[in-house]
Amino acid sequence: MANPKHYVVLEGLGAGKSDYTIQATGDIEKVGGRLGGLPVTTGPADQVSGSTADGTVWGKSDGYRIYGGIKSISLENPDHVQVHMGTIAGEPDDDHGDLCEVVVRAEKVEFISGQGPGEGALELDIEHDIRGGQSEHTSLRLPTGSTRNLGVAIDNFKVPRSGSEPKTIVTKITEREPPRDWFTGTPDEGSEPVDITLACDNPQQVTNTVPIDSDRGNPGKVKVYYTIDDLDD
């Protein structure tokens, strides 16, 4: 069998479940351990037959290696699943030399300031946008002074082992009052870039503190923690 060319990770979000079907142009292999920077599990409910995989994802993640191209991914409950896809580095047909694959992840968010005492949690919409790459959105409610784990894989990049590649993450924050609070204000927003360097065998943690402008005279700050590391298949 030839080497796998792609991977698919289906990450379950919160409570609930979703059935899914993956179809490819070649064989599909269910794997455990880590894939695409995420821990993945195997279970008897997930079935693979040649180029088709059928399964159910709950609160963890299911991972597959694809020997060929990805034809389709069907989800019963798309709101419950975050789909991560990428190529697997080091293939014989790769004409870029000796490469590693580096994943950029948003690991944690810290709401430093932006809400007055007793005003409750705010709704935060966070966009992690890698220039020249992909972006991911995260939505959550968080009171001032609190921290929340994210664990979101944003994008994967092939990087020469003998070099490095600069990238920029633009973190965009939209902050708004929950509708059931005493009043609903217009959303407050902020955006801040941070430069990162992708390199093999060089794990890093980078933070980006985003100032939030407010038309109510109550500016805030949100800090997002990112990690950059090799994929461990």
Side-chain angles (χ1 to χ4, degrees), residues 10-20 57-59 74-83 137 139:
L10 300 107
E11 180 183 5
L13 305 176
K17 69 179 183 69
S18 177
D19 295 335
Y20 60 82
V57 62
W58 297 75
S74 302
L75 303 173
E76 175 200 24
N77 182 8
D79 291 339
H80 177 69
V81 183
Q82 178 69 55
V83 179
H137 282 83
S139 296

Side-chain angles (χ1 to χ4, degrees), residues 102-117:
V102 175
V103 61
V104 181
R105 293 173 55 86
E107 299 290 358
K108 184 172 64 173
V109 59
E110 180 182 358
F111 192 1
I112 299 174
S113 62
Q115 182 72 308

